[in-house]
């Protein structure tokens, strides 16, 4: 039976160094929950605390209502999948998958039934008599997944399981993992630094930075309405502009430093006239229009369905130290493409842009916490 996971005010320290200062999050029974963030942000540390591999210096972790802080890792009834597979090279696929059931002394007939079912679920029945050396990387990862799930753990923990695979296999395996998890219904905590992977497979995502959860939400919520500039730029690409809030008798707007204005009806009550802000526009949120921002194309990159244009705005308009400012043109909806050196007039989509405080720490869109 699957469990919810309730993490309350947990602290992780190594000597005087605090890795996770005070973290709380609730993971629902049966959901696919992803910890996403850059290297060193604390996501694997948190996963290892849930697993029982790392000590907890403060707070508590519960499986449903049971505190597990002091329960040994092998008694927590968890399944683990690592990036290095960790399957036994001298055992066949079936023997690898059977291993955990044998340890639990499951009767042979029941064990065969469970193994047959999970081999079919993860689509490796045809390879059950092969040794791992005869399998591809993706097939070996399916074996690791089957072995973790077949014991019917309360919680499945996965630490960067696809990072050793090539791009095509990663896409194939993330679908396999998602399908298997939903079929079995196990609460799953998944660690990755790959934004696309997290968006593709998660029910909800917790974006972490420096041991702190920046935002928790569905992939759609986090992409469309990030809580702060870090989330906005870590999940996908965002173009960041200097701006300020303006008000007149009938409307509220944000104004770019060149005087271009966008009327908005979804700014929070915290916004005051004249307040300096950061305006965030994703590349696909621009459209070509006569009444848009005038800008020169620096470079163009053809990407099949899209053409990406790197834009040359003046330094006075854009937040410094951005990798690039881009417009993404959907070629399925376009009749003309453009070359480097040409001028464009780009209109941001007022319903989709995001606005943040001057320090980038808080969204100023209504409903964003």
């Amino acid at each position: 039976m699957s469990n919810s996971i309730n993490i309350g005010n947990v602290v992780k320290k190594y000597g005087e160094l605090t890795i996770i200062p005070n973290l709380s999050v609730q993971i629902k029974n049966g959901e696919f929950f992803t910890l996403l963030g850059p290297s060193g942000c604390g996501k694997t540390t948190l996963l290892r605390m849930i697993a029982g591999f790392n000590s907890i210096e403060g707070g508590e972790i519960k499986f449903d209502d049971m505190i597990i802080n002091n329960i040994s890792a092998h008694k927590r009834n968890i399944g683990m999948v690592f990036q290095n597979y960790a399957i036994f090279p001298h055992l066949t696929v079936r023997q690898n998958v059977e291993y955990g059931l044998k340890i639990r002394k499951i009767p042979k007939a029941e064990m065969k039934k469970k193994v047959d079912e999970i081999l079919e679920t993860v689509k490796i029945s045809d390879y059950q008599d092969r040794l791992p050396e005869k399998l591809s990387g993706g097939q070996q990862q399916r074996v690791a997944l089957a072995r973790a799930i077949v014991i019917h753990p309360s919680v499945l923990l996965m630490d960067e399981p696809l990072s050793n695979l090539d791009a095509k296999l990663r896409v194939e395996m993330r679908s396999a993992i998602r399908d298997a998890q939903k079929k079995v219904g196990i609460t799953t905590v998944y660690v990755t630094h790959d934004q696309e992977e997290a968006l593709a497979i998660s029910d909800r995502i917790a974006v972490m930075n420096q041991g702190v959860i920046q935002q928790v939400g569905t992939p759609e919520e986090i992409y469309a309405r990030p809580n702060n500039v870090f989330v906005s730029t870590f999940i996908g690409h965002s173009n960041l502009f200097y701006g300020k809030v303006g008000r007149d008798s009938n409307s509220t707007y944000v104004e770019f430093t060149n005087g271009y204005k966008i009327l908005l009806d979804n700014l929070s009550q915290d916004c005051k006239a004249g307040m300096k802000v950061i305006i965030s526009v994703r590349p696909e949120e621009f459209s070509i229009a006569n009444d848009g921002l005038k800008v020169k194309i620096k470079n163009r990159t053809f990407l099949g369905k899209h053409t990406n244009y790197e834009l040359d705005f003046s330094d006075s308009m854009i937040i410094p130290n951005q990798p690039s400012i881009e417009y993404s043109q959907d070629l399925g909806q376009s009749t003309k493409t453009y070359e480097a050196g040409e001028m464009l007039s780009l209109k941001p989509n007022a319903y989709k842009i995001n606005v943040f405080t001057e320090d980038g720490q808080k969204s100023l869109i209504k409903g964003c916490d």
Side-chain angles (χ1 to χ4, degrees), residues 7 10 12 14 19-20 35 42-56 61 63 68-69 71-74 76 78 80-82 84 155 157-160 189-191 208:
I7 300 169
V10 297
K12 180 59 194 171
Y14 293 107
I19 305 298
I20 296 177
L35 301 173
K43 56 190 184 294
T44 293
T45 297
L46 180 59
L47 190 83
R48 291 176 63 84
M49 293 167 78
I50 297 170
F53 300 153
N54 283 353
S55 60
I56 302 170
I61 298 177
F63 285 0
I68 63 166
N69 290 33
I71 296 177
S72 301
H74 69 278
R76 294 190 182 190
I78 58 170
M80 284 288 301
V81 180
F82 303 94
N84 63 353
V155 171
L157 306 177
M158 309 185 77
D159 187 11
E160 301 271 11
V189 184
Y190 188 98
V191 163
M208 292 183 65

Coordinates of all heavy atoms in Angstrom, one line a residue, residues 7 10 12 14 19-20 35 42-56 61 63 68-69 71-74 76 78 80-82 84 155 157-160 189-191 208:
I7 N 6.8 16.1 5.1 CA 8.1 16.6 5.5 C 7.9 17.9 6.2 O 7.4 18.9 5.6 CB 9.0 16.8 4.3 CG1 9.2 15.4 3.6 CG2 10.4 17.3 4.7 CD1 9.9 15.5 2.2
V10 N 12.3 20.1 8.1 CA 13.6 19.3 8.2 C 14.8 20.2 8.0 O 14.8 21.1 7.3 CB 13.5 18.1 7.2 CG1 12.4 17.2 7.5 CG2 13.5 18.6 5.8
K12 N 19.2 19.7 7.5 CA 20.3 18.8 7.3 C 21.6 19.6 7.4 O 21.7 20.6 6.7 CB 20.2 18.2 5.9 CG 21.4 17.2 5.6 CD 21.5 16.1 6.6 CE 22.8 15.4 6.5 NZ 23.0 14.4 7.6
Y14 N 26.0 19.3 7.8 CA 27.3 18.5 7.9 C 28.2 19.4 8.7 O 28.8 20.4 8.2 CB 27.8 18.3 6.5 CG 27.0 17.3 5.7 CD1 26.2 17.8 4.6 CD2 27.0 16.0 5.9 CE1 25.4 16.9 3.9 CE2 26.2 15.1 5.2 CZ 25.4 15.6 4.2 OH 24.6 14.7 3.4
I19 N 22.9 22.4 4.9 CA 22.6 22.1 3.5 C 21.1 22.4 3.2 O 20.7 23.0 2.2 CB 22.9 20.7 3.1 CG1 24.3 20.3 3.4 CG2 22.6 20.4 1.7 CD1 25.3 21.2 2.7
I20 N 20.3 22.0 4.2 CA 18.8 22.2 4.1 C 18.4 22.9 5.4 O 18.5 22.3 6.5 CB 18.0 21.0 3.9 CG1 18.4 20.3 2.5 CG2 16.5 21.2 4.0 CD1 17.7 19.0 2.3
L35 N 11.6 16.5 -7.5 CA 12.5 17.5 -6.9 C 13.5 18.0 -8.0 O 14.3 17.2 -8.5 CB 13.3 16.9 -5.7 CG 12.5 16.4 -4.6 CD1 13.4 15.7 -3.6 CD2 11.7 17.5 -3.9
G42 N 20.5 20.5 -3.0 CA 19.9 19.8 -1.9 C 18.9 18.8 -2.2 O 18.4 18.1 -1.3
K43 N 18.6 18.6 -3.5 CA 17.5 17.7 -3.9 C 17.8 16.2 -3.6 O 17.0 15.4 -3.0 CB 17.1 17.8 -5.3 CG 18.2 17.7 -6.4 CD 17.7 18.1 -7.7 CE 18.8 17.9 -8.8 NZ 20.0 18.7 -8.6
T44 N 19.1 15.8 -3.9 CA 19.5 14.4 -3.6 C 19.6 14.2 -2.1 O 19.3 13.1 -1.6 CB 20.8 14.0 -4.3 OG1 20.5 14.0 -5.7 CG2 21.3 12.7 -3.9
T45 N 20.1 15.2 -1.4 CA 20.2 15.1 0.1 C 18.9 14.9 0.7 O 18.7 14.0 1.6 CB 20.8 16.5 0.6 OG1 22.2 16.6 0.1 CG2 20.9 16.4 2.1
L46 N 17.8 15.6 0.2 CA 16.5 15.4 0.7 C 16.0 14.0 0.4 O 15.4 13.4 1.3 CB 15.5 16.5 0.1 CG 14.1 16.4 0.6 CD1 14.0 16.5 2.1 CD2 13.2 17.5 -0.1
L47 N 16.2 13.5 -0.8 CA 15.8 12.2 -1.2 C 16.5 11.2 -0.3 O 15.8 10.2 0.2 CB 16.2 11.9 -2.6 CG 15.6 10.6 -3.2 CD1 14.2 10.8 -3.7 CD2 16.5 10.1 -4.4
R48 N 17.7 11.3 0.1 CA 18.4 10.4 0.9 C 17.9 10.5 2.4 O 18.0 9.5 3.1 CB 19.9 10.6 0.8 CG 20.5 10.3 -0.5 CD 22.0 10.6 -0.6 NE 22.8 9.9 0.4 CZ 23.3 8.6 0.2 NH1 23.0 8.0 -0.9 NH2 24.0 8.0 1.1
M49 N 17.4 11.6 2.8 CA 16.8 11.7 4.1 C 15.5 10.9 4.1 O 15.2 10.3 5.1 CB 16.6 13.2 4.4 CG 17.8 14.0 4.6 SD 17.6 15.8 4.6 CE 16.9 16.0 6.3
I50 N 14.7 11.0 3.0 CA 13.5 10.2 3.0 C 13.8 8.7 3.0 O 13.2 7.9 3.6 CB 12.7 10.6 1.7 CG1 12.3 12.0 1.7 CG2 11.5 9.7 1.6 CD1 11.7 12.5 0.4
A51 N 14.9 8.4 2.3 CA 15.3 7.0 2.2 C 15.9 6.4 3.5 O 15.8 5.2 3.7 CB 16.3 6.8 1.1
G52 N 16.4 7.3 4.3 CA 17.1 6.8 5.6 C 18.6 6.7 5.5 O 19.2 6.2 6.4
F53 N 19.1 7.2 4.3 CA 20.6 7.1 4.1 C 21.3 8.3 4.8 O 22.5 8.2 5.0 CB 20.9 7.0 2.6 CG 20.3 5.9 1.9 CD1 20.0 6.0 0.6 CD2 20.0 4.7 2.6 CE1 19.5 4.9 -0.1 CE2 19.5 3.6 1.9 CZ 19.2 3.7 0.5
N54 N 20.6 9.4 5.0 CA 21.1 10.6 5.6 C 20.4 10.8 6.9 O 19.2 10.7 7.0 CB 21.0 11.8 4.7 CG 22.0 11.9 3.6 OD1 22.9 11.0 3.6 ND2 21.9 12.8 2.7
S55 N 21.1 11.3 7.9 CA 20.5 11.7 9.2 C 19.7 13.0 9.0 O 19.8 13.7 8.1 CB 21.6 11.9 10.3 OG 22.5 12.9 9.9
I56 N 18.8 13.2 10.0 CA 18.0 14.4 10.0 C 18.3 15.2 11.3 O 18.2 14.7 12.4 CB 16.5 14.0 10.0 CG1 16.1 13.2 8.8 CG2 15.6 15.3 10.1 CD1 14.8 12.6 8.8
I61 N 10.0 13.6 9.3 CA 9.5 13.0 8.0 C 8.5 11.9 8.4 O 8.8 11.1 9.2 CB 10.6 12.5 7.1 CG1 11.5 13.6 6.7 CG2 10.0 11.8 5.8 CD1 12.7 13.2 5.8
F63 N 5.7 8.9 6.9 CA 4.9 8.2 5.9 C 3.5 8.0 6.5 O 3.3 7.4 7.5 CB 5.6 6.8 5.7 CG 6.8 6.8 4.9 CD1 7.4 8.0 4.4 CD2 7.5 5.6 4.6 CE1 8.6 8.0 3.7 CE2 8.7 5.6 3.9 CZ 9.2 6.8 3.4
I68 N 9.2 8.6 10.7 CA 10.2 7.6 10.3 C 11.7 8.0 10.5 O 12.6 7.3 10.1 CB 10.1 7.3 8.8 CG1 10.4 8.5 7.9 CG2 8.7 6.7 8.5 CD1 10.6 8.2 6.4
N69 N 11.9 9.2 11.2 CA 13.2 9.7 11.4 C 14.2 8.7 11.9 O 15.3 8.6 11.5 CB 13.2 10.8 12.5 CG 12.5 12.1 11.9 OD1 11.6 12.0 11.1 ND2 12.9 13.3 12.4
I71 N 13.7 5.3 12.0 CA 13.6 4.0 11.4 C 14.7 3.7 10.4 O 14.9 4.5 9.5 CB 12.2 3.8 10.8 CG1 11.1 4.0 11.8 CG2 12.0 2.5 10.1 CD1 9.7 3.9 11.2
S72 N 15.3 2.5 10.5 CA 16.4 2.2 9.6 C 15.9 2.1 8.2 O 14.7 1.8 7.9 CB 17.0 0.8 10.0 OG 17.5 0.8 11.3
A73 N 16.8 2.4 7.3 CA 16.5 2.4 5.8 C 15.8 1.1 5.4 O 14.8 1.1 4.6 CB 17.7 2.7 5.0
H74 N 16.4 0.0 5.8 CA 15.9 -1.3 5.3 C 14.5 -1.7 5.9 O 13.8 -2.6 5.4 CB 16.9 -2.4 5.6 CG 17.0 -2.8 7.0 ND1 17.8 -2.1 7.9 CD2 16.4 -3.8 7.8 CE1 17.7 -2.6 9.1 NE2 16.9 -3.6 9.1
R76 N 12.0 0.7 6.0 CA 11.1 1.8 5.6 C 10.2 1.3 4.4 O 9.3 2.1 4.0 CB 11.8 3.1 5.2 CG 12.5 3.7 6.4 CD 13.1 5.1 6.1 NE 13.8 5.6 7.2 CZ 14.2 6.9 7.3 NH1 14.0 7.7 6.3 NH2 14.8 7.3 8.4
I78 N 10.9 1.0 1.1 CA 11.0 1.8 0.0 C 11.6 1.1 -1.2 O 12.4 0.1 -1.0 CB 11.9 3.1 0.3 CG1 13.3 2.6 0.8 CG2 11.2 4.0 1.3 CD1 14.3 3.7 0.9
M80 N 14.2 1.8 -4.5 CA 15.2 2.8 -5.0 C 15.6 2.5 -6.4 O 15.9 1.3 -6.7 CB 16.4 2.8 -4.1 CG 16.2 3.5 -2.7 SD 16.1 5.3 -2.8 CE 17.6 5.8 -3.6
V81 N 15.7 3.5 -7.2 CA 16.3 3.4 -8.5 C 17.4 4.5 -8.7 O 17.1 5.7 -8.5 CB 15.2 3.5 -9.7 CG1 15.9 3.4 -11.0 CG2 14.1 2.5 -9.5
F82 N 18.6 4.0 -9.0 CA 19.7 5.0 -9.1 C 20.1 5.2 -10.5 O 19.7 4.4 -11.4 CB 20.9 4.4 -8.3 CG 20.7 4.1 -6.9 CD1 20.3 2.8 -6.5 CD2 20.8 5.1 -5.9 CE1 20.0 2.5 -5.2 CE2 20.5 4.8 -4.6 CZ 20.2 3.5 -4.2
N84 N 23.0 4.6 -11.8 CA 24.0 3.6 -12.2 C 23.4 2.2 -12.2 O 24.1 1.2 -12.2 CB 25.2 3.6 -11.4 CG 24.9 3.3 -9.9 OD1 23.8 3.2 -9.5 ND2 26.0 3.1 -9.1
V155 N 6.9 3.6 -0.9 CA 7.4 4.8 -1.6 C 8.5 4.4 -2.6 O 9.3 3.5 -2.2 CB 8.0 5.8 -0.6 CG1 8.7 6.9 -1.3 CG2 6.9 6.4 0.3
L157 N 11.7 5.8 -4.7 CA 12.6 7.0 -4.8 C 13.5 6.8 -6.0 O 14.1 5.7 -6.1 CB 13.4 7.1 -3.5 CG 12.6 7.1 -2.2 CD1 13.5 7.2 -1.0 CD2 11.7 8.4 -2.2
M158 N 13.6 7.8 -6.8 CA 14.4 7.7 -8.0 C 15.4 8.9 -8.1 O 15.0 10.0 -8.1 CB 13.5 7.7 -9.2 CG 12.4 6.6 -9.1 SD 11.4 6.5 -10.6 CE 12.5 5.5 -11.7
D159 N 16.7 8.6 -8.2 CA 17.7 9.6 -8.2 C 18.4 9.7 -9.5 O 19.3 8.9 -9.8 CB 18.8 9.3 -7.1 CG 19.8 10.4 -6.9 OD1 19.5 11.5 -7.4 OD2 20.8 10.2 -6.2
E160 N 18.1 10.7 -10.3 CA 18.7 10.9 -11.6 C 18.7 9.6 -12.5 O 19.8 9.3 -13.0 CB 20.1 11.5 -11.5 CG 20.1 12.9 -10.7 CD 19.9 14.1 -11.6 OE1 19.6 13.9 -12.8 OE2 20.2 15.2 -11.1
V189 N 9.0 9.8 -5.6 CA 9.8 11.0 -5.5 C 11.0 10.9 -6.4 O 11.7 9.9 -6.3 CB 10.3 11.3 -4.0 CG1 11.0 12.6 -4.0 CG2 9.1 11.3 -3.1
Y190 N 11.1 11.8 -7.4 CA 12.0 11.7 -8.5 C 12.9 12.9 -8.5 O 12.5 14.0 -8.4 CB 11.2 11.6 -9.8 CG 11.9 11.4 -11.1 CD1 11.9 10.1 -11.6 CD2 12.5 12.4 -11.8 CE1 12.5 9.8 -12.8 CE2 13.1 12.1 -13.0 CZ 13.1 10.8 -13.5 OH 13.8 10.6 -14.7
V191 N 14.2 12.7 -8.5 CA 15.2 13.8 -8.5 C 15.8 13.9 -9.9 O 16.2 13.0 -10.6 CB 16.3 13.5 -7.5 CG1 17.5 14.4 -7.8 CG2 15.9 13.7 -6.1
M208 N 13.9 23.6 -6.3 CA 14.8 23.9 -5.2 C 16.0 24.7 -5.6 O 16.5 24.6 -6.7 CB 15.3 22.6 -4.6 CG 14.2 21.8 -3.9 SD 14.9 20.3 -3.1 CE 15.9 21.0 -1.8

